[in-house]
Amino acid sequence: EAGSTMGNRLQRIKVENTEENRRQFREILFTVDSSINQSIGGVILFHETLYQKDSQGKLFRNILKEKGIVVGIKNQGGAPLAGTNKETTIGLDGLSERCAQYKKDGVDFGKWRAVLRIDNQCPSHLAIQENANALARYASICQQNGLVPIVEPEVIPDGDHDLEHCQYVTEKVLAAVYKALNDHHVYLEGTLLKPNMVTAGHACTKKYTPEQVAMATVTALHRTVPAAVPGICFLSGGMSEEDATLNLNAINLCPLPKPWKLSFSYGRALQASALAAWGGKAANKKATQEAFMKRALANCQAAKGQYVHTGSSGSASTQSLFTACYTY
Amino acid sequence: MPHSYPALSAEQKKELSDIALRIVAPGKGILAADESVGSMAKRLSQIGVENTEENRRLYRQVLFSADDRVKKCIGGVIFFHETLYQKDDDGVPFVRTIQDKGIVVGIKVDKGVVPLAGTDGETTTQGLDGLSERCAQYKKDGADFAKWRCVLKISERTPSALAILENANVLARYASICQQNGIVPIVEPEILPDGDHDLKRCQYVTEKVLAAVYKALSDHHVYLEGTLLKPNMVTPGHACPIKYSPEEIAMATVTALRRTVPPAVPGVTFLSGGQSEEEASLNLNAINRCPLPRPWALTFSYGRALQASALNAWRGQQDNAGAATEEFIKRAEVNGLAAQGKYEGSGEDGGAAAQSLYIANHAY
């Protein structure tokens, strides 16, 4: 999370958004027991965090590496597309130099989030084309610098559209992304995809089961994502911790052919309970770590289709984490 | 972009998907018997037989009179228009004979290649005018799938961006129209083996072409689960001095497909493109033994590579018909095994099976 986004998170638990507070929270997460590496294969860091250390002066990135976890970096940018209905694209200037530096600093993968939204005229053909093209440029540059690009074309859940409409849009977006990746000569076997699950808009009155979400999601993916892509790590996009886990589990149980790994790349849906348990107090470290480990383990099981919902897990895990027009 | 206007109902989708799955059921592939009158002229002249409608009928009868052994290895037969309305010596329509064996009937619907002005001898394929009406009629007459062949070639400057774009687009239009009429479209973007390019170059071009095809299919709202793909295998150019093993061809082919063909496509039915009968079987077998994960069926849609020995055994003599039919059944069974990676090789040398069937700039 960028500094400003952490601000939103910390404000919810009434903690001041200082560099030290951000460091403390991340330290608690990163210093959990090494067994976390059974559930977590990679951690995406913000630029500031890549260079922070724990209270003994040890770099976070080294702590993670020693646990066998791959270190990733959020590559950022973002600019409006003129002549559209508030649509955006990403910035690429100086990316190669930044990637080279990150690689030297221990990073092995990058992530770039492109945002598309569903509305009366959106996503427009221009927004789809331009974001797909930019993601492909981004991926190409990453690979030239030895970083695996995570390609994230997020169709945000804002709106009252139904599941079918989200599926339709997601298929169009992903088809454009993979055409662009091909045009830009990107090596698919060295990329990962971070898409939205296919869900109804947040304001849609119709409710869908995890199985319906799973079927719509896997159908969309299997019509657009080549088998050469090794893994798909879903974003949680404002779903509650529990919904994000249940949906991932249903996805892994979906009877359609699934030649890629189907896993998670969760921010809010892995950290909400941990944040609530922490409340900014060092004394709560153990409770924070337990809350985080629990969600990590749950999602590890869901990524194998083996999650068993155990019932009450506290209000934080079922609370919707939706924020309108999310940027982070 | 905002709104989707569903192209097909759930029932239509199910019908198309079921047909496609039947054609590429495990161990089954397609007999491409859709040679145009012009192509048949070349085939028949090679065995000294006159190219008359009756001879073409007699020859197809040799193939279609194969016994029930073909049921387990042939999932579909592609017909040429003329053949769809022909009958055997007992007056039984060929369509019925094939259907009675549980084999799906298909029809070639394109009308041949035409030049793309301003390119280096590149082409697109015509046949879209009135295609919907023709498909509706073919469906009534027993056809459940169709085939349309586009042609691309590799040289220093080809295939050009225009040729790739135009052929992908015309394939997508064809596919869309077929599906509206309950017909499963086989999409065939053939990259010819003419030239001296190596395996890598063919793989690169094949990936570019297939990416364009699937983008066009998406743009045209084609239901992938109700389509089949008929691509070239990835091979070196015919005049390439480097020789590659079936395993290398398999790896290059499967890699290219994995990077471009969505898992929703139920089957990939390779064209044989001038490979000898044995080569085509060995390569298909190696493809099915390739260690990379393959989410689609990988099988055959062979013309020459299923018929060469049969044609040669027949030589226009009715006395040879039985022996000729046996030759066909033999190749069909071999390819049925190859489609499952179970073919152990013929152990034979020479004969029609090993003879290269390459014809320069093949159009059929």
Side-chain angles (χ1 to χ4, degrees):
Chain A
E1 298 86 352
S4 50
T5 306
M6 272 316 278
N8 297 339
R9 305 276 173 90
L10 296 177
Q11 192 211 21
R12 273 192 180 201
I13 54 166
K14 307 212 179 352
V15 171
E16 204 189 337
N17 186 20
T18 61
E19 192 184 333
E20 176 57 17
N21 282 341
R22 294 193 291 273
R23 192 200 65 75
Q24 276 185 24
F25 181 64
R26 267 72 180 257
E27 174 168 348
I28 295 176
L29 295 182
F30 300 160
T31 55
V32 294
D33 183 75
S34 290
S35 63
I36 192 74
N37 61 19
Q38 300 302 300
S39 319
I40 303 291
V43 172
I44 312 174
L45 298 178
F46 179 59
H47 179 90
E48 170 191 87
T49 322
L50 183 64
Y51 302 101
Q52 284 178 329
K53 303 170 176 147
D54 72 3
S55 20
Q56 271 87 57
K58 185 161 181 186
L59 284 165
F60 283 156
R61 64 190 195 237
N62 292 338
I63 294 174
L64 292 169
K65 279 188 180 238
E66 274 166 28
K67 290 182 176 27
I69 294 173
V70 187
V71 174
I73 186 76
K74 179 231 284 296
N75 298 110
Q76 63 182 67
L81 273 172
T84 64
N85 185 2
K86 291 185 288 196
E87 296 176 297
T88 58
T89 184
I90 61 180
L92 294 163
D93 298 352
L95 179 62
S96 190
E97 291 75 15
R98 292 204 301 281
C99 282
Q101 187 60 49
Y102 285 139
K103 182 74 177 178
K104 284 198 193 112
D105 294 339
V107 174
D108 284 315
F109 72 95
K111 185 219 75 174
W112 199 302
R113 177 178 180 249
V115 179
L116 295 132
R117 64 192 192 95
I118 296 177
D119 196 346
N120 207 11
Q121 300 298 328
C122 305
S124 64
H125 178 75
L126 173 63
I128 294 177
Q129 282 309 116
E130 184 52 30
N131 280 286
N133 191 63
L135 279 169
R137 281 292 301 130
Y138 157 70
S140 168
I141 292 169
C142 275
Q143 291 192 332
Q144 290 301 299
N145 290 284
L147 297 184
V148 166
I150 297 190
V151 170
E152 181 180 355
E154 178 176 3
V155 177
I156 56 178
D158 303 46
D160 62 1
H161 51 275
D162 62 12
L163 186 72
E164 288 73 21
H165 192 64
C166 179
Q167 183 183 330
Y168 175 80
V169 171
T170 301
E171 288 178 16
K172 293 301 178 192
V173 167
L174 290 176
V177 166
Y178 283 95
K179 180 58 164 61
L181 290 175
N182 182 282
D183 289 343
H184 286 259
H185 317 303
V186 173
Y187 175 59
L188 293 187
E189 293 90 328
T191 65
L192 292 169
L193 178 68
K194 178 167 173 169
N196 50 286
M197 293 181 188
V198 172
T199 62
H202 194 258
C204 179
T205 47
K206 189 163 174 205
K207 294 302 160 210
Y208 298 89
T209 62
E211 290 68 35
Q212 287 172 310
V213 166
M215 182 58 78
T217 301
V218 180
T219 300
L221 296 171
H222 108 302
R223 289 175 179 172
T224 54
V225 183
V229 175
I232 298 177
C233 306
F234 296 98
L235 57 93
S236 48
M239 283 181 245
S240 69
E241 286 177 331
E242 192 62 14
D243 281 347
T245 302
L246 289 172
N247 287 338
L248 180 63
N249 194 54
I251 281 169
N252 277 282
L253 293 173
C254 180
L256 296 176
K258 303 181 292 285
W260 349 255
K261 287 271 168 61
L262 289 161
S263 185
F264 57 94
S265 174
Y266 292 166
R268 288 170 277 175
L270 268 173
Q271 301 175 62
S273 295
L275 262 171
W278 180 50
K281 301 181 171 64
N284 294 335
K285 174 174 165 170
K286 186 158 175 285
T288 307
Q289 291 188 330
E290 275 172 7
F292 170 56
M293 278 288 249
K294 189 164 149 181
R295 284 332 299 175
L297 192 63
N299 286 305
C300 166
Q301 290 166 341
K304 300 184 251 187
Q306 291 169 3
Y307 177 62
V308 177
H309 179 50
T310 49
S312 81
S313 27
S315 62
S317 68
T318 49
Q319 193 177 44
S320 167
L321 300 163
F322 176 71
T323 309
C325 257
Y326 189 68
T327 57
Y328 71 110
Chain B
M1 215 305 275
H3 297 286
S4 73
Y5 304 92
L8 300 164
S9 68
E11 292 74 26
Q12 285 175 301
K13 285 182 180 176
K14 178 159 201 312
E15 186 194 9
L16 291 167
S17 169
D18 285 348
I19 291 168
L21 288 170
R22 278 172 53 209
I23 296 169
V24 296
K28 295 189 187 181
I30 298 174
L31 164 64
D34 61 327
E35 297 84 356
S36 62
V37 174
S39 285
M40 279 312 290
K42 289 182 206 150
R43 304 281 170 91
L44 296 177
S45 82
Q46 276 183 325
I47 54 165
V49 173
E50 205 190 336
N51 187 24
T52 62
E53 192 183 333
E54 176 62 6
N55 281 341
R56 293 192 295 272
R57 188 191 71 81
L58 285 171
Y59 174 61
R60 267 62 181 260
Q61 180 172 248
V62 163
L63 300 174
F64 300 160
S65 57
D67 62 30
D68 284 354
R69 280 175 286 165
V70 293
K71 280 176 154 182
K72 65 180 187 301
C73 46
I74 300 291
V77 173
I78 315 178
F79 282 66
F80 178 61
H81 178 92
E82 171 190 81
T83 322
L84 199 67
Y85 302 103
Q86 286 180 326
K87 304 174 172 141
D88 67 16
D89 292 343
D90 301 321
V92 178
F94 284 150
V95 168
R96 184 133 63 83
T97 304
I98 295 299
Q99 285 174 335
D100 285 349
K101 291 197 205 320
I103 298 173
V104 187
V105 169
I107 178 75
K108 182 232 289 290
V109 297
D110 71 77
K111 295 195 169 177
V113 299
V114 292
L116 277 174
T119 65
D120 182 12
E122 294 179 292
T123 61
T124 181
T125 298
Q126 61 180 5
L128 290 176
D129 296 355
L131 180 60
S132 190
E133 291 73 23
R134 292 170 56 219
C135 281
Q137 187 61 49
Y138 285 138
K139 181 79 175 176
K140 286 197 193 117
D141 295 339
D144 282 315
F145 74 96
K147 189 216 78 177
W148 176 296
R149 178 175 178 254
C150 277
V151 181
L152 295 135
K153 61 177 181 144
I154 297 178
S155 71
E156 213 188 305
R157 302 270 170 87
T158 65
S160 65
L162 173 63
I164 294 177
L165 189 72
E166 167 56 25
N167 282 286
N169 193 62
V170 80
L171 279 167
R173 280 292 299 130
Y174 142 76
S176 168
I177 292 169
C178 280
Q179 292 193 329
Q180 290 300 298
N181 290 286
I183 290 197
V184 167
I186 297 191
V187 170
E188 181 179 356
E190 176 174 6
I191 300 163
L192 295 176
D194 301 46
D196 61 1
H197 52 273
D198 64 11
L199 189 70
K200 273 201 189 18
R201 180 90 203 279
C202 179
Q203 184 183 331
Y204 177 83
V205 171
T206 302
E207 288 177 18
K208 292 302 175 194
V209 167
L210 291 178
V213 167
Y214 283 96
K215 180 59 164 62
L217 291 176
S218 169
D219 290 344
H220 286 258
H221 317 301
V222 174
Y223 175 59
L224 292 187
E225 293 90 326
T227 65
L228 293 170
L229 177 69
K230 179 166 172 168
N232 49 286
M233 291 183 190
V234 173
T235 62
H238 196 262
C240 178
I242 311 171
K243 295 300 158 209
Y244 298 88
S245 64
E247 289 67 37
E248 288 172 296
I249 284 171
M251 184 59 79
T253 302
V254 175
T255 299
L257 297 173
R258 276 169 51 78
R259 289 174 179 172
T260 54
V261 183
V265 175
V268 175
T269 62
F270 294 99
L271 58 94
S272 46
Q275 295 173 46
S276 71
E277 286 178 330
E278 190 62 10
E279 240 183 305
S281 300
L282 290 174
N283 286 336
L284 179 64
N285 193 55
I287 282 169
N288 278 283
R289 291 194 185 173
C290 179
L292 299 175
R294 297 162 264 119
W296 349 255
L298 290 162
T299 184
F300 58 93
S301 175
Y302 290 168
R304 288 169 280 173
L306 268 173
Q307 301 177 51
S309 294
L311 195 64
N312 213 37
W314 180 55
R315 304 200 80 84
Q317 309 297 325
Q318 274 313 93
D319 292 344
N320 297 339
T325 307
E326 277 303 309
E327 290 294 330
F328 164 60
I329 296 173
K330 195 162 98 179
R331 280 335 293 175
E333 289 183 318
V334 160
N335 286 305
L337 289 173
Q340 302 171 81
K342 291 179 181 170
Y343 178 51
E344 298 301 330
S346 69
E348 295 165 8
D349 286 319
Q355 197 178 37
S356 168
L357 299 165
Y358 175 68
I359 302 168
N361 256 321
H362 181 76
Y364 72 105

